[in-house]
Each structure stands twice: as structure tokens, then as C-alpha cells.
Amino acid sequence: MSYYSTDATGELSTDEIDISTSSANIIDVQPTDDITAWFPWILLAVYPILTVGFIFNLITAVAFMNSSLLSKGKPVHQLIFNMTMSDLITCLVTQPFLLFQYTEVGKRFIMTRKIPCIGAVIGINIGFDSTVTALLLITCERLFAITSPLQHMYRMTRRTCRVVIMISWLLVTAKSAVLLFWNEWEPFAPCIGLVVYPESYGLYIYNPNLYVCMGLVVLLNIILGVAVVIAKRKAKSINASETTTKSSQSDLKIVKIVFLAVGVLLVTWIPNNSLGNLIFFYIKKGQATPFDLLVAFHMTRSLPLVGIVADPLIYFLQNAQCRDAVLKLFGQMGAPKIRQKHSASDLNTSYFNTVSDATTKI
């Protein structure tokens, strides 16, 4: 048995390594074909999505902070902003993971450095988990708003949303940060969760949490869809005031945002996750993974990131207040308001002229 020592930064002392006992490259085992030839194509598929997603989410986040949506808007905008920040953080924490996985320099750097490797795995976990949690929170909020509008009005405040968001981030971070103290990292092994996770962590913490959250997101959105249908039928059966109608339409548009965001997440997450489970099946059987399956898995790495581009576009297209906040950031909100004021003053002028003419005739 070989023992490995690390310095204060977690970097392995290379003079104490027994290379003969180092782990094999678990996912990329293939005796004839070289997966590294696909690395440039993988990065080419991922980085445009990360770049566009970072720009879109940064614009959306700045627009929210420059507007009154967070301080005076509906509480749901706190949750939309949380989703934006989650996507923005995902764009940043994905960078180290990509460099350590798909560049030769990165792989050489990380193979003997424990803390940076575990930090990269923790970062990618927090990025994805925070997105799923953010969708779960906004789904619960919308379900509460549709099924119990009066209770929602009094109980779901901006402060309540901020507290719930803070708790969710603490839980997500704690779940992944435990890997700093509980891990199975080995030198020269791939810097991936499959290698870093202890078996019991994967079986009893990571996988149950992931699939329970995804299952809840799907289940609650189905219930939300049923609640929306029932609410629409009730609205048609009563004579609702114009104000109530506008409010309900606004709520339903935000529900549409949830449905679209969840749909994008599922469509983009399922393929890569399914391929990953197939690879895990081969590993458990002690067999080399088919090369085509490896290529498909790595090339679909970019799919789960599509949501970081789609989400800000969904907010912009489906929510007028989000759209106004973004347009205002670029100075494109003044003209319509000025025209509206002029039209109102012209109407008042014509009204008073009409009254004056009538008085003169009398």
C-alpha cells in the first residue's frame, strides 16, 4: 500500500508517489481509440454557451438590481433573480472543471493537487444543484399563489423569499462542501465526482437528493398545471374585475416562465444523465466503455448548460417587468412614456377647448 502526503494547499508531494498503484482513467478507458482527439470539439460546443449565458445573465442581474423589482416588486421576482444568480454562478464554476477535464495542461496540473480538484467538483455540484433548487422554489411559490391567493398575499413576502433563498443556498453548499473532509481522491485519477465521491455519499446523499429534487420539480409542475386549469375555469364562471383579471394574467405568465424553464432543464439534462448512467453500468461490470458511448457522453456535456442561455431569454420574452428592466438598462424606456404624456396632454387640451366653445355658444 502506498501513502500520499499533501502540503497545506492540498498539492501532492510527487517524490512520495507510487505511480504503479495510481488509479486508471476510469471513464476514458479505451485500448484502441483516443478520446482526447475530441477535446477541442467538446470545448467548442461548451464555451459559446457559457459565454452567451454569462452575458445574458449578467445583463439580467444588473437590470434587476438597477430597477425596483427587488425592493418594491412582487416577491416572485426575488426567486427569478435567484435563478439568474444561480445560472451566473454556474457559468463561472464550470470553468475549472472544463480545464481540468478537457485540456492537457489542466489534466497535468490537477492530477496531483487534491484541494483544487475537490473544489472543482464541489463547484460544478453547487452550480447544478442551485439551479434545480431555484426551480423547485419558484414552482412551490407559484403553486401557493394559484391555489391559495389570499394566503399567498399575506404570507409570501419579499423578506420570506429572501430567507428561503438563503436557507436553500446554505443547504446546497453544505451538501457538497462535506466532500472537503469526506472523499476518496487519489493522485493520477480523473478529477470527476465518480472518483472523488465515497461510495456511500453517492448512494445515500448525492443520487437521492438529485433524483428526489428532479422528481419533485416534475410532480409539482404537473400539479401546478392542473391548478392553473382549475383556476382558469373558475375565473370564467365569475365576473372578475379588470384589476383581478390583470393580476391573474400576470401570475399565469410567471407560471409559463416556470413551465418553460423546467421543460428546458429536463430536455437538456436527461440525455447526458442517461449516457452517464450507461457508462457507470459498464464500470460496475468491470468492462471498457464503448468508444462511441464515451464520445456521445462528452459531446452532450454542453446540453445541461443550454438552460443558462434559455432562462434569461424566457424572462425577457414572457415577463413585461423583466423586459422593461432590461430595456431601461439600455436607455430604451423613455420614448414610449413621453409619447404617452403628450397624448394625454393633447386629450386634455382638446377637452377644455370643447368645453370652452360650448360655454361661448351658450
Side-chain angles (χ1 to χ4, degrees):
M1 178 182 292
S2 298
Y3 295 92
Y4 310 106
S5 62
T6 57
D7 59 20
T9 62
E11 182 174 352
L12 191 73
S13 302
T14 54
D15 57 339
E16 299 182 37
I17 297 174
D18 182 358
I19 297 179
S20 63
T21 61
S22 62
S23 299
N25 194 332
I26 291 180
I27 280 190
D28 295 338
V29 169
Q30 185 65 27
T32 57
D33 296 299
D34 184 13
I35 191 68
T36 60
W38 287 85
F39 285 0
W41 298 103
I42 295 167
L43 294 176
L44 188 62
V46 173
Y47 268 101
I49 296 175
L50 287 178
T51 303
V52 175
F54 179 80
I55 294 172
F56 282 6
N57 283 283
L58 182 62
I59 290 173
T60 305
V62 173
F64 265 81
M65 290 186 289
N66 282 358
S67 69
S68 59
L69 288 177
L70 296 179
S71 59
K72 299 179 181 178
K74 290 184 177 181
V76 70
H77 287 112
Q78 305 282 335
L79 301 176
I80 294 177
F81 180 72
N82 179 50
M83 288 179 63
T84 300
M85 293 305 298
S86 173
D87 289 340
L88 193 60
I89 290 173
T90 300
C91 292
L92 297 175
V93 298
T94 305
Q95 306 294 328
F97 183 80
L98 291 174
L99 293 176
F100 298 153
Q101 277 276 92
Y102 299 116
T103 66
E104 290 301 324
V105 174
K107 291 176 77 171
R108 285 197 301 269
F109 172 83
I110 204 61
M111 65 172 56
T112 58
R113 290 171 170 83
K114 181 178 181 179
I115 297 303
C117 173
I118 296 175
V121 173
I122 289 174
I124 201 78
N125 285 354
I126 290 176
F128 184 77
D129 290 348
S130 63
T131 299
V132 177
T133 305
L135 275 174
L136 184 59
L137 290 181
I138 195 171
T139 299
C140 293
E141 189 275 341
R142 285 295 87 192
L143 185 59
F144 188 28
I146 298 298
T147 57
S148 303
L150 293 179
Q151 290 291 327
H152 176 270
M153 185 183 301
Y154 291 105
R155 295 183 181 277
M156 188 56 64
T157 63
R158 287 186 291 273
R159 185 176 182 276
T160 302
C161 287
R162 287 194 289 268
V163 170
V164 171
I165 289 169
M166 186 179 299
I167 292 174
S168 70
W169 275 99
L170 289 174
L171 291 176
V172 165
T173 303
K175 181 182 79 73
S176 295
V178 70
L179 291 172
L180 288 170
F181 314 99
W182 182 29
N183 61 77
E184 293 185 354
W185 177 88
E186 293 182 3
F188 297 97
C191 184
I192 54 176
L194 187 62
V195 175
V196 173
Y197 298 162
E199 185 176 357
S200 53
Y201 177 87
L203 288 175
Y204 302 114
I205 298 179
Y206 182 80
N207 284 337
N209 180 270
L210 174 63
Y211 290 107
V212 166
C213 284
M214 293 296 289
L216 281 175
V217 167
V218 174
L219 177 62
L220 291 177
N221 272 273
I222 293 174
I223 297 174
L224 181 59
V226 174
V228 167
V229 172
I230 295 174
K232 282 185 175 181
R233 288 181 178 178
K234 285 184 178 180
K236 289 180 180 179
S237 63
I238 60 174
N239 294 323
S241 65
E242 184 179 355
T243 303
T244 305
T245 303
K246 288 182 179 180
S247 177
S248 61
Q249 287 177 350
S250 176
D251 287 339
L252 292 176
K253 284 184 178 180
I254 296 178
V255 169
K256 191 175 181 180
I257 290 176
V258 178
F259 287 159
L260 290 172
V262 170
V264 170
L265 175 67
L266 292 177
V267 169
T268 57
W269 174 74
I270 289 175
N272 186 256
N273 183 72
S274 301
L275 292 171
N277 285 328
L278 283 176
I279 291 174
F280 186 70
F281 173 76
Y282 278 97
I283 293 171
K284 280 296 184 182
K285 292 180 65 176
Q287 299 178 0
T289 306
F291 185 70
D292 292 340
L293 181 59
L294 277 176
V295 172
F297 171 75
H298 287 293
M299 287 301 297
T300 55
R301 286 274 191 168
S302 60
L303 279 181
L305 298 173
V306 171
I308 65 178
V309 176
D311 289 346
L313 289 176
I314 292 171
Y315 310 149
F316 183 84
L317 296 174
Q318 296 296 327
N319 188 272
Q321 291 175 301
C322 296
R323 182 167 56 251
D324 290 345
V326 173
L327 292 176
K328 187 177 180 181
L329 187 65
F330 292 96
Q332 297 183 15
M333 284 291 291
K337 289 186 176 182
I338 293 172
R339 284 196 295 270
Q340 186 177 2
K341 288 180 180 179
H342 280 309
S343 61
S345 61
D346 292 341
L347 181 63
N348 290 335
T349 302
S350 61
Y351 170 78
F352 286 121
N353 288 339
T354 304
V355 173
S356 178
D357 291 342
T359 305
T360 304
K361 290 179 181 179
I362 293 173

